[in-house]
Amino acid sequence: GTDYKLTVASKRSAVGRHTVKVTFMGNYSGTKYVYFYILPGKSASVKSSAQTSSAIKLTWSKVAGASGYTVYRYSPSKKAYVKAGATTGTSYTVKNLLAGTKYTFKVVAYGKTSSGKVYNSNTYALIKTATCTKTPTVKLASTAKGRATVAWTDVSGETGYQVYYATSKNGTYSRIANYKANTAKAYKTGLKSGRTYYFKVRTYINTDSGYVYSPFSAVKSVKIK
């Protein structure tokens, strides 16, 4: 009444390939080996940080049993994900990117077996973020009675600009306002005549994972009439 018996390894919960030995009995004879895979799971989250105009650092939570991770970048021209790199750690910096550009990345964990890597390509952590723009340059600061006019170079890829001012170069800066993309001039009123004020500008990009800011411009000073 018994046609076969199964022999399985005692530890078969780890990520990788596992073997089942089937030994036929009774009216049947022979041995068959069959295999199954336990695949890595999904990282709980991916975050971006340390954005520059050409690189983004991605970090993610560790996946139990994973041997490493492959990072993919979505290519609009190819309409597919392309490999950006791989690591055994939980962070990776993607380089050679375009300034002020939004990107989508996914991180796929893999396990190692004697026959190679095993992936679960349908289980991945996704993030939409961006590189920061080039740093704007404050190129003009003029003054009228109680008012300063600040102008800057209009860079590309920005959602908008933030303009800050202070009463000393290394003092505490306050934000005047946010300005829309393609704006290149701002005004600050209510300033004291005869006093010098300091201004700096940065861009921001609104992404699904938060705001990405460019470095601040060099500080520009103006003495109010």
Side-chain angles (χ1 to χ4, degrees):
T2 302
D3 295 325
Y4 61 85
K5 70 175 182 179
L6 303 180
T7 304
V8 296
S10 59
K11 295 181 179 180
R12 56 184 186 278
S13 60
V15 171
R17 190 176 84 159
H18 299 274
T19 304
V20 178
K21 180 182 179 182
V22 184
T23 304
F24 293 95
M25 305 170 63
N27 294 327
Y28 306 95
S29 63
T31 301
K32 178 74 173 181
Y33 291 91
V34 293
Y35 307 94
F36 67 92
Y37 293 87
I38 294 180
L39 303 177
K42 174 183 176 181
S43 178
S45 63
V46 180
K47 296 180 180 180
S48 60
S49 62
Q51 286 98 334
T52 69
S53 60
S54 62
I56 298 174
K57 182 180 180 180
L58 303 175
T59 58
W60 52 87
S61 53
K62 184 177 177 61
V63 175
S67 301
Y69 308 85
T70 302
V71 179
Y72 296 90
R73 173 182 59 82
Y74 184 76
S75 170
S77 61
K78 296 182 179 180
K79 296 182 179 180
Y81 283 91
V82 296
K83 183 178 177 180
T87 178
T88 57
T90 55
S91 67
Y92 185 83
T93 299
V94 185
K95 300 179 180 179
N96 300 318
L97 302 176
L98 300 175
T101 303
K102 292 183 178 182
Y103 288 94
T104 300
F105 299 98
K106 68 178 182 180
V107 178
V108 181
Y110 65 82
K112 284 186 177 180
T113 72
S114 58
S115 57
K117 297 177 181 178
V118 290
Y119 294 86
N120 187 347
S121 58
N122 294 321
T123 302
Y124 54 84
L126 188 76
I127 186 171
K128 295 182 179 181
T129 184
T131 52
C132 65
T133 70
K134 294 181 179 180
T135 305
T137 300
V138 177
K139 60 182 180 179
L140 173 66
S142 61
T143 180
K145 186 174 178 62
R147 188 182 80 166
T149 302
V150 183
W152 57 86
T153 54
D154 182 18
V155 300
S156 60
E158 82 285 9
T159 301
Y161 296 88
Q162 293 181 333
V163 181
Y164 287 75
Y165 80 105
T167 55
S168 64
K169 185 174 183 179
N170 297 318
T172 301
Y173 283 79
S174 299
R175 188 173 67 198
I176 298 174
N178 288 354
Y179 298 88
K180 294 181 180 179
N182 303 320
T183 303
K185 185 179 291 185
Y187 306 93
K188 175 59 181 172
T189 59
L191 303 178
K192 294 183 178 180
S193 297
R195 192 166 189 175
T196 300
Y197 291 85
Y198 299 83
F199 296 86
K200 60 183 180 180
V201 181
R202 69 177 179 180
T203 68
Y204 66 92
I205 300 176
N206 189 8
T207 75
D208 289 358
S209 56
Y211 288 97
V212 176
Y213 299 96
S214 74
F216 277 107
S217 67
V219 174
K220 186 79 172 181
S221 65
V222 63
K223 187 174 183 179
I224 304 302
K225 291 182 179 179

CSV table of all heavy atoms in Angstrom, one decimal, residues 142-148 165-169 171-172 188 190-199 220-225:
chain,number,residue,atom,x,y,z
A,142,SER,N,19.8,94.5,-5.9
A,142,SER,CA,19.7,95.9,-5.9
A,142,SER,C,18.8,96.3,-4.7
A,142,SER,O,18.1,95.5,-4.1
A,142,SER,CB,19.1,96.4,-7.2
A,142,SER,OG,17.8,95.9,-7.4
A,143,THR,N,18.7,97.6,-4.5
A,143,THR,CA,17.9,98.1,-3.4
A,143,THR,C,17.2,99.4,-3.7
A,143,THR,O,17.6,100.2,-4.5
A,143,THR,CB,18.9,98.4,-2.2
A,143,THR,OG1,18.1,98.8,-1.1
A,143,THR,CG2,20.0,99.4,-2.5
A,144,ALA,N,16.1,99.6,-3.1
A,144,ALA,CA,15.3,100.8,-3.0
A,144,ALA,C,15.0,101.1,-1.5
A,144,ALA,O,15.5,100.3,-0.7
A,144,ALA,CB,14.0,100.7,-3.8
A,145,LYS,N,14.3,102.1,-1.2
A,145,LYS,CA,14.1,102.5,0.2
A,145,LYS,C,13.3,101.4,0.8
A,145,LYS,O,12.1,101.1,0.5
A,145,LYS,CB,13.4,103.8,0.3
A,145,LYS,CG,13.2,104.3,1.7
A,145,LYS,CD,12.6,105.7,1.7
A,145,LYS,CE,12.4,106.2,3.1
A,145,LYS,NZ,13.7,106.3,3.8
A,146,GLY,N,13.9,100.7,1.8
A,146,GLY,CA,13.3,99.7,2.6
A,146,GLY,C,13.0,98.4,1.8
A,146,GLY,O,12.3,97.5,2.3
A,147,ARG,N,13.6,98.2,0.6
A,147,ARG,CA,13.3,97.0,-0.2
A,147,ARG,C,14.6,96.5,-0.9
A,147,ARG,O,15.4,97.3,-1.3
A,147,ARG,CB,12.2,97.3,-1.2
A,147,ARG,CG,11.7,96.1,-1.9
A,147,ARG,CD,10.7,96.5,-3.0
A,147,ARG,NE,11.3,97.0,-4.2
A,147,ARG,CZ,10.7,97.1,-5.4
A,147,ARG,NH1,9.4,96.8,-5.4
A,147,ARG,NH2,11.3,97.5,-6.4
A,148,ALA,N,14.7,95.2,-1.0
A,148,ALA,CA,15.8,94.6,-1.7
A,148,ALA,C,15.2,93.8,-2.8
A,148,ALA,O,14.2,93.1,-2.7
A,148,ALA,CB,16.6,93.7,-0.8
A,165,TYR,N,17.0,85.1,3.9
A,165,TYR,CA,17.8,86.3,4.2
A,165,TYR,C,18.1,86.3,5.7
A,165,TYR,O,17.5,85.6,6.5
A,165,TYR,CB,17.0,87.6,3.8
A,165,TYR,CG,15.9,88.0,4.9
A,165,TYR,CD1,16.2,89.1,5.7
A,165,TYR,CD2,14.7,87.3,5.0
A,165,TYR,CE1,15.2,89.4,6.7
A,165,TYR,CE2,13.8,87.6,5.9
A,165,TYR,CZ,14.1,88.7,6.8
A,165,TYR,OH,13.1,89.1,7.7
A,166,ALA,N,19.2,87.1,6.0
A,166,ALA,CA,19.6,87.2,7.4
A,166,ALA,C,20.3,88.6,7.5
A,166,ALA,O,20.5,89.3,6.5
A,166,ALA,CB,20.7,86.1,7.7
A,167,THR,N,20.5,89.0,8.8
A,167,THR,CA,21.1,90.3,9.0
A,167,THR,C,22.6,90.2,9.2
A,167,THR,O,23.3,91.2,9.4
A,167,THR,CB,20.5,90.9,10.3
A,167,THR,OG1,20.7,90.0,11.4
A,167,THR,CG2,19.0,91.2,10.1
A,168,SER,N,23.2,89.0,9.1
A,168,SER,CA,24.6,88.8,9.1
A,168,SER,C,24.9,87.5,8.3
A,168,SER,O,24.1,86.6,8.2
A,168,SER,CB,25.2,88.6,10.5
A,168,SER,OG,24.7,87.4,11.1
A,169,LYS,N,26.1,87.5,7.7
A,169,LYS,CA,26.4,86.5,6.7
A,169,LYS,C,26.3,85.1,7.4
A,169,LYS,O,25.8,84.1,6.7
A,169,LYS,CB,27.8,86.7,6.2
A,169,LYS,CG,28.2,85.7,5.1
A,169,LYS,CD,29.5,86.0,4.4
A,169,LYS,CE,29.8,85.1,3.3
A,169,LYS,NZ,31.1,85.4,2.6
A,171,GLY,N,24.7,84.4,10.2
A,171,GLY,CA,23.6,84.4,11.2
A,171,GLY,C,22.5,83.4,10.8
A,171,GLY,O,22.7,82.5,10.0
A,172,THR,N,21.4,83.6,11.5
A,172,THR,CA,20.2,82.7,11.3
A,172,THR,C,19.4,83.2,10.1
A,172,THR,O,19.0,84.4,10.1
A,172,THR,CB,19.4,82.6,12.5
A,172,THR,OG1,20.1,82.1,13.6
A,172,THR,CG2,18.2,81.7,12.3
A,188,LYS,N,12.1,91.7,-1.2
A,188,LYS,CA,11.9,91.7,0.3
A,188,LYS,C,11.7,93.1,0.8
A,188,LYS,O,12.6,94.0,0.6
A,188,LYS,CB,13.1,91.0,1.0
A,188,LYS,CG,13.0,91.1,2.5
A,188,LYS,CD,11.8,90.4,3.1
A,188,LYS,CE,11.8,90.5,4.6
A,188,LYS,NZ,10.5,90.0,5.1
A,190,GLY,N,10.1,96.0,3.9
A,190,GLY,CA,10.1,96.2,5.3
A,190,GLY,C,11.5,96.1,5.9
A,190,GLY,O,11.7,95.8,7.1
A,191,LEU,N,12.5,96.4,5.1
A,191,LEU,CA,13.9,96.3,5.6
A,191,LEU,C,14.3,97.7,6.1
A,191,LEU,O,13.8,98.7,5.7
A,191,LEU,CB,14.9,95.9,4.5
A,191,LEU,CG,14.5,94.5,3.9
A,191,LEU,CD1,15.5,94.1,2.8
A,191,LEU,CD2,14.5,93.4,5.0
A,192,LYS,N,15.3,97.7,7.0
A,192,LYS,CA,15.8,99.0,7.6
A,192,LYS,C,16.8,99.7,6.7
A,192,LYS,O,17.8,99.0,6.3
A,192,LYS,CB,16.4,98.7,9.0
A,192,LYS,CG,15.3,98.2,10.0
A,192,LYS,CD,16.0,98.0,11.4
A,192,LYS,CE,14.9,97.6,12.4
A,192,LYS,NZ,15.5,97.4,13.8
A,193,SER,N,16.6,101.0,6.5
A,193,SER,CA,17.5,101.7,5.7
A,193,SER,C,18.9,101.8,6.4
A,193,SER,O,19.0,101.9,7.6
A,193,SER,CB,17.0,103.2,5.5
A,193,SER,OG,15.8,103.1,4.8
A,194,GLY,N,20.0,101.7,5.6
A,194,GLY,CA,21.3,101.8,6.1
A,194,GLY,C,21.9,100.5,6.6
A,194,GLY,O,23.0,100.4,7.0
A,195,ARG,N,21.0,99.4,6.6
A,195,ARG,CA,21.5,98.1,7.2
A,195,ARG,C,21.8,97.2,6.0
A,195,ARG,O,21.1,97.2,5.0
A,195,ARG,CB,20.4,97.6,8.1
A,195,ARG,CG,20.8,96.4,8.9
A,195,ARG,CD,19.9,96.0,10.0
A,195,ARG,NE,20.4,95.0,10.9
A,195,ARG,CZ,19.7,94.6,12.0
A,195,ARG,NH1,18.6,95.2,12.3
A,195,ARG,NH2,20.3,93.7,12.8
A,196,THR,N,22.8,96.3,6.3
A,196,THR,CA,23.1,95.3,5.2
A,196,THR,C,22.4,94.0,5.5
A,196,THR,O,22.4,93.5,6.6
A,196,THR,CB,24.7,95.1,5.2
A,196,THR,OG1,25.3,96.3,4.9
A,196,THR,CG2,25.0,94.1,4.2
A,197,TYR,N,21.9,93.4,4.5
A,197,TYR,CA,21.2,92.1,4.6
A,197,TYR,C,21.9,91.1,3.6
A,197,TYR,O,22.5,91.5,2.6
A,197,TYR,CB,19.7,92.3,4.2
A,197,TYR,CG,18.9,93.1,5.2
A,197,TYR,CD1,18.9,94.5,5.2
A,197,TYR,CD2,18.2,92.4,6.2
A,197,TYR,CE1,18.2,95.2,6.1
A,197,TYR,CE2,17.5,93.1,7.2
A,197,TYR,CZ,17.5,94.5,7.1
A,197,TYR,OH,16.7,95.2,8.0
A,198,TYR,N,21.7,89.9,3.9
A,198,TYR,CA,22.4,88.8,3.2
A,198,TYR,C,21.3,87.8,2.7
A,198,TYR,O,20.4,87.5,3.4
A,198,TYR,CB,23.3,88.1,4.1
A,198,TYR,CG,24.4,89.0,4.6
A,198,TYR,CD1,24.2,89.8,5.7
A,198,TYR,CD2,25.7,89.1,4.0
A,198,TYR,CE1,25.2,90.7,6.2
A,198,TYR,CE2,26.7,89.9,4.5
A,198,TYR,CZ,26.4,90.7,5.6
A,198,TYR,OH,27.4,91.6,6.0
A,199,PHE,N,21.5,87.4,1.4
A,199,PHE,CA,20.5,86.6,0.7
A,199,PHE,C,21.1,85.3,0.1
A,199,PHE,O,22.3,85.4,-0.3
A,199,PHE,CB,19.8,87.4,-0.4
A,199,PHE,CG,19.0,88.5,0.1
A,199,PHE,CD1,19.6,89.8,0.3
A,199,PHE,CD2,17.6,88.4,0.4
A,199,PHE,CE1,18.9,90.9,0.8
A,199,PHE,CE2,16.9,89.5,0.9
A,199,PHE,CZ,17.5,90.7,1.1
A,220,LYS,N,24.7,86.6,-1.1
A,220,LYS,CA,24.9,87.9,-1.8
A,220,LYS,C,24.4,88.9,-0.8
A,220,LYS,O,23.3,88.8,-0.2
A,220,LYS,CB,24.0,88.0,-3.0
A,220,LYS,CG,24.2,89.2,-3.8
A,220,LYS,CD,25.5,89.2,-4.6
A,220,LYS,CE,25.6,90.4,-5.6
A,220,LYS,NZ,26.8,90.4,-6.4
A,221,SER,N,25.1,90.0,-0.6
A,221,SER,CA,24.7,91.0,0.4
A,221,SER,C,24.3,92.3,-0.3
A,221,SER,O,24.7,92.6,-1.5
A,221,SER,CB,25.9,91.3,1.3
A,221,SER,OG,27.0,91.9,0.6
A,222,VAL,N,23.5,93.1,0.4
A,222,VAL,CA,23.0,94.4,-0.2
A,222,VAL,C,22.8,95.3,1.0
A,222,VAL,O,22.2,94.9,2.0
A,222,VAL,CB,21.8,94.2,-1.0
A,222,VAL,CG1,20.6,93.7,-0.3
A,222,VAL,CG2,21.4,95.5,-1.7
A,223,LYS,N,23.2,96.6,0.8
A,223,LYS,CA,22.9,97.6,1.8
A,223,LYS,C,21.7,98.4,1.4
A,223,LYS,O,21.6,98.9,0.3
A,223,LYS,CB,24.1,98.5,2.0
A,223,LYS,CG,24.0,99.5,3.2
A,223,LYS,CD,25.2,100.3,3.3
A,223,LYS,CE,25.1,101.2,4.5
A,223,LYS,NZ,26.4,102.0,4.7
A,224,ILE,N,20.7,98.4,2.3
A,224,ILE,CA,19.4,99.1,2.0
A,224,ILE,C,19.5,100.6,2.0
A,224,ILE,O,20.1,101.2,2.9
A,224,ILE,CB,18.3,98.6,3.0
A,224,ILE,CG1,18.3,97.1,3.0
A,224,ILE,CG2,17.0,99.2,2.7
A,224,ILE,CD1,18.0,96.5,1.7
A,225,LYS,N,18.9,101.2,1.1
A,225,LYS,CA,18.9,102.7,1.0
A,225,LYS,C,18.0,103.2,2.0
A,225,LYS,O,17.0,102.6,2.4
A,225,LYS,CB,18.5,103.1,-0.4
A,225,LYS,CG,19.5,102.8,-1.5
A,225,LYS,CD,19.0,103.3,-2.8
A,225,LYS,CE,20.0,103.1,-3.9
A,225,LYS,NZ,19.6,103.5,-5.3
